[in-house]
């Protein structure tokens, strides 16, 4: 079955530590995205990538970093510079076509204490 | 930046009733999309309506788009308990944008 896999589902870290969230897709999509969701809120775009080895900042990129070395993979690193990292992180992918819907993974819930 | 805003924020109905959710957006769009999110899960795409369309149906879903008012509505007919979820509208932030921007969502509760 094609889809997007995010791992792990739950992640706990101590303040001051960097942490990397995994996102893998086998849908052969060129575009991939990372969103952050806080309780009762909509999704806010962190980073997106339209093609391998290229990515752009979204609305809330500060304190985050990404890489896109392979078409299938788009890992997100939450650095110690992110002031409020505790949130639900969602990865998505799509065709490079503005009329193509996004396909989402089931998210990683990160808790930093 | 918030492109879409859903209304109401929360909606509670009895099973079998219809549910209507509204979305307003700010900039011109190529299309407007609706997604559903079950608690603690990722979003699932429901329907996409293009800017030159006024109405679109998919099963029990009916979406309308009024570009003059920059608004859209999602109607779920004959609701079921399984429709309980949050519903989000989304659109791209301006011409040529690759940033799909979501509203804060409508939380729908369908009571059996």
């Amino acid at each position: 079955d094609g889809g997007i896999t995010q791992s792990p589902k739950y992640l706990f870290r101590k303040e001051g530590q960097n942490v990397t969230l995994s996102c893998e897709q086998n849908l052969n999509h060129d575009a991939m995205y990372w969103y952050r969701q806080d309780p009762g809120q909509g999704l806010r775009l962190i980073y997106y990538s339209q093609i391998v080895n290229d990515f752009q900042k979204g609305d809330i990129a500060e304190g985050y970093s990404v890489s896109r070395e392979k078409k299938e993979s788009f890992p997100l690193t939450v650095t110690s510079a992110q002031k409020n990292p505790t949130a639900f992180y969602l990865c998505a992918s799509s065709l490079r076509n503005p009329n193509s819907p996004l396909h989402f993974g089931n998210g990683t819930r990160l808790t930093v204490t | 930046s918030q492109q879409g805003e859903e209304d109401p924020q929360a909606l509670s109905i009895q099973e079998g009733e219809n549910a209507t959710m509204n979305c307003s957006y700010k900039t011109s769009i190529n299309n407007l999309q609706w997604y559903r999110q079950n608690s603690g899960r990722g979003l699932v795409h429901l329907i996409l309506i293009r800017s030159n369309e006024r109405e679109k149906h998919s099963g029990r879903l009916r979406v309308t788009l009024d570009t003059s008012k920059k608004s859209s509505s999602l109607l779920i007919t004959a609701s079921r308990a399984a429709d309980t979820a949050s519903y989000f509208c989304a659109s791209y932030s301006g011409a040529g944008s690759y940033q799909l921007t979501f509203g804060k969502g409508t939380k729908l509760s369908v009571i059996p």
Side-chain angles (χ1 to χ4, degrees), chain A residues 4-82:
Chain A
I4 299 184
T5 301
Q6 289 187 245
S7 60
K9 188 171 178 63
Y10 299 96
L11 193 51
F12 298 88
R13 279 294 182 270
K14 295 290 187 184
E15 198 172 310
Q17 293 178 335
N18 291 354
V19 60
T20 297
L21 282 59
S22 169
C23 178
E24 303 278 332
Q25 55 100 359
N26 61 4
L27 298 167
N28 200 33
H29 287 165
D30 282 313
M32 296 187 75
Y33 311 81
W34 274 106
Y35 286 90
R36 168 182 172 140
Q37 186 176 32
D38 293 285
Q41 299 294 310
L43 280 65
R44 291 184 289 168
L45 184 64
I46 305 172
Y47 268 98
Y48 63 102
S49 167
Q50 292 293 306
I51 200 165
V52 174
N53 292 323
D54 187 47
F55 47 83
Q56 283 76 41
K57 294 181 180 180
D59 294 325
I60 56 165
E62 187 174 347
Y64 299 97
S65 66
V66 293
S67 63
R68 187 84 189 279
E69 297 176 2
K70 298 187 300 182
K71 188 175 185 178
E72 302 80 16
S73 178
F74 192 38
L76 173 74
T77 296
V78 184
T79 75
S80 57
Q82 168 51 233

Coordinates of all heavy atoms in Angstrom, one line a residue, chain A residues 4-82:
Chain A
I4 N 2.3 7.5 3.5 CA 3.4 8.2 4.2 C 3.5 7.7 5.6 O 2.5 7.5 6.3 CB 3.0 9.7 4.3 CG1 2.9 10.3 2.9 CG2 4.0 10.5 5.1 CD1 2.6 11.8 2.9
T5 N 4.7 7.4 6.0 CA 5.0 6.9 7.3 C 5.8 7.9 8.1 O 6.9 8.3 7.7 CB 5.8 5.6 7.2 OG1 5.1 4.6 6.4 CG2 6.1 5.0 8.6
Q6 N 5.2 8.2 9.3 CA 5.9 9.1 10.2 C 6.3 8.2 11.4 O 5.5 7.5 12.0 CB 5.1 10.2 10.7 CG 4.8 11.3 9.6 CD 4.1 12.5 10.1 OE1 3.0 12.8 9.8 NE2 4.8 13.2 11.0
S7 N 7.5 8.4 11.9 CA 7.9 7.7 13.1 C 8.9 8.5 13.9 O 9.6 9.4 13.4 CB 8.6 6.4 12.7 OG 9.8 6.7 11.9
P8 N 8.8 8.3 15.3 CA 7.9 7.5 16.0 C 6.5 8.2 16.1 O 6.4 9.4 15.8 CB 8.6 7.3 17.3 CG 9.3 8.6 17.5 CD 9.8 9.0 16.2
K9 N 5.6 7.6 16.7 CA 4.2 8.2 16.9 C 4.3 9.2 18.1 O 3.7 10.2 18.1 CB 3.2 7.1 17.2 CG 1.8 7.7 17.3 CD 0.8 6.5 17.3 CE -0.7 7.1 17.4 NZ -1.0 7.9 16.2
Y10 N 5.1 8.8 19.1 CA 5.3 9.6 20.3 C 6.8 9.7 20.6 O 7.5 8.8 20.4 CB 4.6 9.0 21.6 CG 3.1 8.8 21.5 CD1 2.6 7.6 21.1 CD2 2.3 9.9 21.7 CE1 1.2 7.5 21.0 CE2 0.9 9.7 21.6 CZ 0.4 8.5 21.3 OH -1.0 8.4 21.2
L11 N 7.2 11.0 20.9 CA 8.6 11.2 21.1 C 8.7 12.2 22.3 O 8.0 13.2 22.4 CB 9.2 11.9 19.9 CG 10.7 12.0 19.7 CD1 11.4 10.6 20.0 CD2 11.0 12.5 18.4
F12 N 9.6 11.8 23.2 CA 9.9 12.6 24.4 C 11.3 13.0 24.5 O 12.2 12.2 24.3 CB 9.5 11.8 25.7 CG 8.1 11.4 25.8 CD1 7.6 10.2 25.2 CD2 7.1 12.2 26.4 CE1 6.3 9.8 25.2 CE2 5.8 11.8 26.4 CZ 5.4 10.7 25.8
R13 N 11.6 14.3 24.8 CA 12.9 14.8 24.8 C 13.1 15.8 26.0 O 12.1 16.4 26.4 CB 13.3 15.4 23.5 CG 13.7 14.5 22.4 CD 15.0 13.8 22.7 NE 15.4 12.9 21.6 CZ 15.0 11.6 21.5 NH1 14.2 11.1 22.3 NH2 15.5 10.9 20.4
K14 N 14.3 15.9 26.4 CA 14.6 16.9 27.4 C 14.9 18.2 26.7 O 15.5 18.2 25.6 CB 15.8 16.5 28.2 CG 15.6 15.3 29.1 CD 14.7 15.6 30.2 CE 14.6 14.4 31.2 NZ 13.6 14.6 32.3
E15 N 14.6 19.3 27.4 CA 14.9 20.6 26.8 C 16.4 20.7 26.5 O 17.2 20.2 27.3 CB 14.5 21.7 27.8 CG 14.3 23.1 27.3 CD 13.7 24.0 28.3 OE1 12.7 23.6 28.9 OE2 14.3 25.1 28.5
G16 N 16.7 21.4 25.4 CA 18.1 21.6 25.0 C 18.7 20.5 24.1 O 19.8 20.6 23.5
Q17 N 17.9 19.5 23.8 CA 18.3 18.4 22.9 C 17.7 18.6 21.6 O 16.5 19.0 21.4 CB 17.9 17.0 23.5 CG 18.6 16.6 24.7 CD 18.1 15.2 25.2 OE1 17.0 14.8 24.9 NE2 18.9 14.6 26.0
N18 N 18.5 18.3 20.5 CA 17.9 18.3 19.2 C 17.2 16.9 19.0 O 17.6 15.9 19.6 CB 19.0 18.4 18.1 CG 19.6 19.8 18.1 OD1 19.2 20.7 18.8 ND2 20.6 20.0 17.3
V19 N 16.2 16.9 18.1 CA 15.5 15.7 17.9 C 15.1 15.7 16.4 O 14.7 16.7 15.8 CB 14.3 15.5 18.8 CG1 13.3 16.6 18.6 CG2 13.6 14.2 18.6
T20 N 15.1 14.5 15.8 CA 14.8 14.4 14.4 C 13.6 13.5 14.2 O 13.5 12.4 14.7 CB 16.0 13.8 13.5 OG1 17.1 14.7 13.6 CG2 15.6 13.6 12.1
L21 N 12.6 14.0 13.4 CA 11.4 13.3 13.1 C 11.5 12.8 11.7 O 11.9 13.5 10.8 CB 10.2 14.2 13.2 CG 9.6 14.6 14.6 CD1 10.7 15.2 15.5 CD2 8.4 15.5 14.5
S22 N 11.1 11.5 11.6 CA 11.2 10.8 10.3 C 9.9 10.9 9.5 O 8.8 10.9 10.0 CB 11.6 9.4 10.5 OG 11.5 8.6 9.3
C23 N 10.1 11.1 8.2 CA 8.9 11.0 7.2 C 9.4 10.4 6.0 O 10.3 10.8 5.3 CB 8.4 12.5 7.0 SG 7.1 12.5 5.8
E24 N 8.7 9.3 5.6 CA 9.0 8.5 4.4 C 7.7 8.3 3.6 O 6.7 8.0 4.2 CB 9.6 7.2 4.8 CG 10.8 7.2 5.6 CD 12.1 7.4 4.8 OE1 12.1 7.0 3.7 OE2 13.0 8.0 5.4
Q25 N 7.8 8.5 2.3 CA 6.7 8.3 1.4 C 7.0 7.4 0.2 O 8.2 7.5 -0.3 CB 6.1 9.6 0.9 CG 7.0 10.5 0.2 CD 6.9 10.5 -1.3 OE1 6.1 9.8 -1.9 NE2 7.7 11.3 -1.9
N26 N 6.1 6.5 -0.2 CA 6.3 5.7 -1.3 C 5.2 5.9 -2.4 O 4.8 5.0 -3.1 CB 6.3 4.2 -0.9 CG 5.0 3.8 -0.3 OD1 4.1 4.5 -0.2 ND2 5.0 2.5 0.2
L27 N 4.8 7.2 -2.4 CA 3.8 7.6 -3.4 C 4.4 8.2 -4.7 O 3.7 8.6 -5.6 CB 2.8 8.6 -2.7 CG 2.1 8.1 -1.5 CD1 1.4 9.3 -0.8 CD2 1.0 7.1 -2.0
N28 N 5.7 8.3 -4.7 CA 6.4 8.9 -5.8 C 6.1 10.3 -6.0 O 6.1 10.8 -7.1 CB 6.2 8.1 -7.1 CG 7.3 8.3 -8.2 OD1 8.4 8.6 -7.8 ND2 6.9 8.3 -9.4
H29 N 5.8 11.0 -4.9 CA 5.5 12.4 -5.0 C 6.8 13.3 -4.9 O 7.7 13.0 -4.2 CB 4.6 12.8 -3.8 CG 3.2 12.4 -3.9 ND1 2.3 12.3 -2.8 CD2 2.5 11.9 -5.0 CE1 1.1 11.9 -3.2 NE2 1.2 11.6 -4.5
D30 N 6.8 14.3 -5.7 CA 7.9 15.2 -5.7 C 7.9 16.2 -4.5 O 8.9 16.5 -3.9 CB 7.9 16.1 -7.0 CG 8.5 15.3 -8.2 OD1 9.5 14.6 -8.0 OD2 7.8 15.4 -9.2
A31 N 6.7 16.6 -4.1 CA 6.6 17.6 -3.1 C 6.3 17.0 -1.7 O 5.6 16.1 -1.6 CB 5.5 18.6 -3.4
M32 N 7.0 17.6 -0.7 CA 6.8 17.1 0.7 C 6.7 18.4 1.6 O 7.3 19.4 1.3 CB 7.9 16.2 1.1 CG 7.9 14.9 0.3 SD 9.0 13.6 0.9 CE 8.1 13.0 2.4
Y33 N 6.0 18.2 2.7 CA 5.7 19.3 3.6 C 5.8 18.9 5.0 O 5.5 17.8 5.4 CB 4.3 19.9 3.3 CG 4.0 20.1 1.9 CD1 3.6 19.0 1.1 CD2 4.0 21.4 1.3 CE1 3.2 19.2 -0.2 CE2 3.7 21.6 0.0 CZ 3.3 20.5 -0.8 OH 2.9 20.7 -2.1
W34 N 6.2 19.8 5.9 CA 6.1 19.7 7.4 C 5.2 20.7 7.9 O 5.4 21.9 7.7 CB 7.4 19.7 8.0 CG 8.2 18.4 8.0 CD1 9.2 18.1 7.3 CD2 7.9 17.3 8.9 NE1 9.6 16.8 7.6 CE2 8.8 16.3 8.6 CE3 6.9 17.0 9.9 CZ2 8.9 15.1 9.2 CZ3 7.0 15.8 10.5 CH2 7.9 14.8 10.2
Y35 N 4.2 20.3 8.7 CA 3.3 21.2 9.4 C 3.4 21.0 10.9 O 3.6 19.8 11.3 CB 1.8 21.0 9.0 CG 1.5 21.5 7.6 CD1 1.6 20.7 6.5 CD2 1.0 22.8 7.4 CE1 1.3 21.1 5.2 CE2 0.7 23.3 6.1 CZ 0.8 22.4 5.1 OH 0.5 22.9 3.8
R36 N 3.1 22.0 11.6 CA 2.9 21.9 13.1 C 1.5 22.2 13.5 O 0.9 23.1 12.9 CB 3.9 22.9 13.7 CG 3.7 23.1 15.2 CD 4.6 24.1 15.8 NE 4.2 24.4 17.2 CZ 5.1 24.6 18.2 NH1 6.4 24.5 18.0 NH2 4.6 24.8 19.4
Q37 N 1.0 21.4 14.4 CA -0.4 21.6 14.9 C -0.4 21.7 16.4 O 0.1 20.8 17.1 CB -1.3 20.5 14.4 CG -2.8 20.8 14.8 CD -3.7 19.7 14.2 OE1 -3.4 18.6 14.1 NE2 -4.9 20.1 13.9
D38 N -0.9 22.8 17.0 CA -1.1 23.0 18.4 C -2.5 22.8 18.8 O -3.4 22.9 17.9 CB -0.6 24.4 18.8 CG 0.9 24.5 18.6 OD1 1.7 23.9 19.5 OD2 1.4 25.1 17.7
P39 N -2.8 22.4 20.0 CA -4.2 22.1 20.4 C -5.2 23.1 20.0 O -5.0 24.3 20.3 CB -4.1 21.9 21.9 CG -2.7 21.6 22.2 CD -1.9 22.3 21.1
G40 N -6.3 22.7 19.3 CA -7.3 23.6 18.9 C -6.9 24.5 17.8 O -7.7 25.5 17.5
Q41 N -5.8 24.3 17.2 CA -5.3 25.2 16.2 C -5.3 24.5 14.8 O -5.4 23.3 14.7 CB -3.9 25.7 16.5 CG -3.8 26.4 17.8 CD -4.6 27.7 17.8 OE1 -4.4 28.5 16.8 NE2 -5.4 28.0 18.8
G42 N -5.2 25.3 13.8 CA -5.0 24.8 12.5 C -3.5 24.4 12.3 O -2.8 24.3 13.2
L43 N -3.2 24.1 11.0 CA -1.8 23.7 10.7 C -1.0 24.9 10.3 O -1.5 25.7 9.5 CB -1.9 22.6 9.6 CG -2.2 21.2 10.0 CD1 -3.6 21.1 10.5 CD2 -2.0 20.3 8.7
R44 N 0.2 24.9 10.7 CA 1.1 25.9 10.3 C 2.3 25.3 9.6 O 2.9 24.4 10.1 CB 1.6 26.8 11.5 CG 0.5 27.6 12.1 CD 1.0 28.5 13.2 NE 1.4 27.7 14.4 CZ 2.0 28.2 15.4 NH1 2.5 29.5 15.4 NH2 2.3 27.5 16.5
L45 N 2.7 25.9 8.5 CA 3.7 25.3 7.6 C 5.1 25.6 8.1 O 5.4 26.8 8.3 CB 3.5 25.8 6.2 CG 4.5 25.2 5.1 CD1 4.3 23.7 4.9 CD2 4.3 26.0 3.8
I46 N 5.9 24.6 8.3 CA 7.3 24.8 8.8 C 8.3 24.9 7.6 O 9.0 25.9 7.5 CB 7.7 23.6 9.7 CG1 6.7 23.5 10.9 CG2 9.1 23.9 10.3 CD1 7.0 22.2 11.7
Y47 N 8.3 23.9 6.8 CA 9.2 23.8 5.6 C 8.5 23.0 4.5 O 7.6 22.2 4.8 CB 10.5 23.1 5.9 CG 11.6 23.9 6.4 CD1 11.9 24.0 7.8 CD2 12.4 24.6 5.5 CE1 13.0 24.8 8.2 CE2 13.5 25.4 5.9 CZ 13.8 25.5 7.2 OH 14.8 26.3 7.7
Y48 N 8.8 23.3 3.3 CA 8.3 22.4 2.2 C 9.4 22.3 1.2 O 10.4 23.1 1.1 CB 7.1 23.0 1.6 CG 7.2 24.4 0.9 CD1 7.2 24.5 -0.5 CD2 7.2 25.5 1.7 CE1 7.3 25.7 -1.0 CE2 7.3 26.8 1.1 CZ 7.3 26.9 -0.2 OH 7.4 28.1 -0.8
S49 N 9.3 21.2 0.4 CA 10.3 20.9 -0.6 C 9.5 20.4 -1.9 O 8.7 19.6 -1.8 CB 11.2 19.7 -0.1 OG 11.9 19.2 -1.2
Q50 N 9.9 21.1 -3.0 CA 9.2 20.7 -4.2 C 10.0 19.7 -5.1 O 9.5 19.1 -6.0 CB 9.0 22.0 -5.1 CG 8.0 23.0 -4.5 CD 6.6 22.4 -4.5 OE1 6.1 21.9 -5.6 NE2 5.9 22.4 -3.4
I51 N 11.3 19.5 -4.7 CA 12.1 18.6 -5.4 C 13.3 18.3 -4.6 O 13.7 19.0 -3.6 CB 12.6 19.3 -6.8 CG1 13.0 18.3 -7.8 CG2 13.6 20.4 -6.5 CD1 13.1 18.9 -9.2
V52 N 14.0 17.2 -4.9 CA 15.1 16.7 -4.2 C 16.2 17.8 -4.1 O 16.4 18.5 -5.1 CB 15.7 15.4 -4.8 CG1 17.0 15.0 -4.1 CG2 14.7 14.3 -4.7
N53 N 16.8 17.9 -3.0 CA 17.9 18.9 -2.8 C 17.5 20.3 -2.8 O 18.4 21.2 -3.0 CB 19.1 18.6 -3.7 CG 19.8 17.3 -3.5 OD1 20.0 16.9 -2.4 ND2 20.2 16.7 -4.6
D54 N 16.2 20.6 -2.6 CA 15.7 21.9 -2.6 C 14.6 22.0 -1.6 O 13.7 21.1 -1.6 CB 15.3 22.4 -4.0 CG 14.9 23.9 -4.0 OD1 15.7 24.7 -3.4 OD2 13.8 24.2 -4.5
F55 N 14.6 23.1 -0.8 CA 13.5 23.2 0.2 C 13.4 24.7 0.5 O 14.3 25.5 0.4 CB 13.7 22.4 1.5 CG 15.0 22.5 2.1 CD1 15.4 23.5 2.9 CD2 16.0 21.5 1.8 CE1 16.6 23.6 3.5 CE2 17.2 21.6 2.4 CZ 17.6 22.6 3.2
Q56 N 12.2 25.1 1.0 CA 11.9 26.5 1.3 C 11.3 26.6 2.7 O 10.6 25.7 3.2 CB 10.9 27.1 0.3 CG 11.5 27.5 -1.0 CD 11.8 26.3 -1.9 OE1 10.9 25.4 -2.0 NE2 12.9 26.3 -2.5
K57 N 11.5 27.7 3.4 CA 10.9 28.0 4.7 C 9.4 28.3 4.5 O 9.0 29.0 3.6 CB 11.6 29.2 5.3 CG 13.1 28.9 5.7 CD 13.7 30.1 6.4 CE 15.1 29.9 6.7 NZ 15.7 31.1 7.4
G58 N 8.7 27.8 5.5 CA 7.3 28.2 5.6 C 7.1 29.3 6.6 O 8.0 30.1 6.8
D59 N 6.0 29.4 7.2 CA 5.7 30.5 8.1 C 6.4 30.5 9.4 O 6.6 31.5 10.1 CB 4.2 30.6 8.4 CG 3.4 30.9 7.1 OD1 3.9 31.6 6.3 OD2 2.2 30.3 6.9
I60 N 6.8 29.3 9.9 CA 7.4 29.2 11.2 C 8.6 28.3 11.2 O 8.8 27.4 12.0 CB 6.3 28.6 12.2 CG1 5.8 27.2 11.7 CG2 5.2 29.6 12.5 CD1 5.1 26.5 12.8
A61 N 9.6 28.6 10.3 CA 10.8 27.8 10.2 C 11.8 28.0 11.3 O 12.7 27.1 11.4 CB 11.4 28.1 8.8
E62 N 11.7 29.0 12.0 CA 12.8 29.3 13.0 C 12.9 28.2 14.1 O 11.8 27.8 14.7 CB 12.5 30.6 13.7 CG 13.6 31.1 14.7 CD 13.4 32.4 15.3 OE1 12.5 33.2 14.8 OE2 14.1 32.8 16.2
G63 N 14.1 27.7 14.3 CA 14.3 26.6 15.3 C 14.1 25.2 14.7 O 14.2 24.2 15.4
Y64 N 13.9 25.1 13.4 CA 13.7 23.9 12.7 C 14.7 23.8 11.5 O 15.2 24.8 11.0 CB 12.3 23.7 12.1 CG 11.2 23.7 13.1 CD1 10.5 24.9 13.4 CD2 10.9 22.5 13.8 CE1 9.5 24.9 14.3 CE2 9.8 22.6 14.7 CZ 9.1 23.7 15.0 OH 8.1 23.8 15.9
S65 N 15.1 22.5 11.1 CA 15.9 22.4 9.9 C 15.4 21.1 9.2 O 14.8 20.2 9.9 CB 17.4 22.3 10.2 OG 17.7 21.1 11.0
V66 N 15.6 21.0 7.9 CA 15.2 19.9 7.1 C 16.3 19.5 6.1 O 17.2 20.3 5.9 CB 13.9 20.1 6.3 CG1 12.7 20.3 7.3 CG2 14.1 21.3 5.4
S67 N 16.2 18.3 5.5 CA 17.0 17.9 4.4 C 16.1 17.2 3.4 O 15.1 16.6 3.8 CB 18.2 17.1 4.9 OG 17.7 15.9 5.5
R68 N 16.6 17.2 2.2 CA 15.8 16.4 1.1 C 16.8 15.8 0.2 O 17.0 16.2 -0.9 CB 14.8 17.3 0.4 CG 13.9 16.5 -0.6 CD 12.7 16.0 0.1 NE 12.0 15.1 -0.7 CZ 11.1 15.5 -1.6 NH1 10.8 16.8 -1.9 NH2 10.4 14.6 -2.3
E69 N 17.5 14.7 0.7 CA 18.5 14.1 -0.1 C 17.9 13.0 -1.0 O 18.6 12.6 -2.0 CB 19.6 13.5 0.9 CG 20.3 14.5 1.7 CD 21.3 14.0 2.7 OE1 21.4 12.7 2.7 OE2 21.9 14.7 3.4
K70 N 16.8 12.5 -0.6 CA 16.1 11.5 -1.4 C 14.7 11.9 -1.6 O 14.1 12.5 -0.8 CB 16.1 10.1 -0.7 CG 17.5 9.5 -0.4 CD 17.4 8.1 0.1 CE 16.6 8.1 1.5 NZ 16.6 6.7 2.0
K71 N 14.1 11.4 -2.7 CA 12.7 11.8 -3.0 C 11.8 11.3 -2.0 O 10.8 11.9 -1.7 CB 12.4 11.2 -4.4 CG 11.0 11.6 -5.0 CD 10.8 11.1 -6.4 CE 9.5 11.6 -7.0 NZ 9.4 11.1 -8.4
E72 N 12.1 10.1 -1.4 CA 11.2 9.4 -0.5 C 11.2 10.0 0.9 O 10.3 9.7 1.7 CB 11.5 8.0 -0.4 CG 11.4 7.2 -1.7 CD 12.7 7.4 -2.6 OE1 13.7 7.9 -2.0 OE2 12.6 7.1 -3.8
S73 N 12.2 10.8 1.3 CA 12.4 11.1 2.7 C 12.6 12.6 2.9 O 13.3 13.3 2.1 CB 13.7 10.4 3.1 OG 14.0 10.7 4.4
F74 N 12.0 13.1 4.0 CA 12.1 14.5 4.3 C 12.1 14.6 5.8 O 11.1 15.0 6.4 CB 10.8 15.2 3.7 CG 10.9 16.7 3.7 CD1 12.0 17.4 3.4 CD2 9.7 17.4 4.0 CE1 12.1 18.8 3.4 CE2 9.7 18.8 3.9 CZ 10.9 19.5 3.7
P75 N 13.2 14.4 6.4 CA 13.3 14.4 7.9 C 13.3 15.9 8.4 O 13.9 16.8 7.8 CB 14.6 13.7 8.2 CG 15.4 13.9 7.0 CD 14.5 13.9 5.8
L76 N 12.7 16.0 9.6 CA 12.7 17.3 10.2 C 13.4 17.3 11.6 O 13.2 16.4 12.4 CB 11.2 17.7 10.5 CG 11.0 19.0 11.4 CD1 11.2 20.2 10.5 CD2 9.5 19.0 11.9
T77 N 14.3 18.2 11.8 CA 15.1 18.3 13.0 C 14.5 19.5 13.8 O 14.5 20.6 13.3 CB 16.6 18.5 12.8 OG1 17.1 17.3 12.2 CG2 17.3 18.6 14.1
V78 N 14.1 19.2 15.0 CA 13.7 20.3 15.9 C 14.9 20.6 16.8 O 15.4 19.8 17.6 CB 12.5 19.8 16.8 CG1 12.0 20.9 17.7 CG2 11.4 19.3 15.9
T79 N 15.4 21.8 16.7 CA 16.6 22.1 17.4 C 16.3 22.8 18.7 O 15.2 23.1 19.0 CB 17.5 23.1 16.6 OG1 16.9 24.4 16.6 CG2 17.6 22.7 15.1
S80 N 17.3 22.9 19.5 CA 17.2 23.5 20.9 C 16.8 25.0 20.8 O 16.4 25.6 21.7 CB 18.5 23.3 21.7 OG 19.6 23.9 21.0
A81 N 16.9 25.6 19.6 CA 16.6 27.0 19.4 C 15.1 27.2 19.3 O 14.6 28.3 19.3 CB 17.3 27.5 18.1
Q82 N 14.3 26.1 19.1 CA 12.9 26.2 19.0 C 12.3 26.4 20.4 O 12.5 25.5 21.2 CB 12.3 25.0 18.3 CG 10.8 24.8 18.4 CD 10.0 26.0 18.0 OE1 9.1 26.5 18.7 NE2 10.3 26.6 16.8

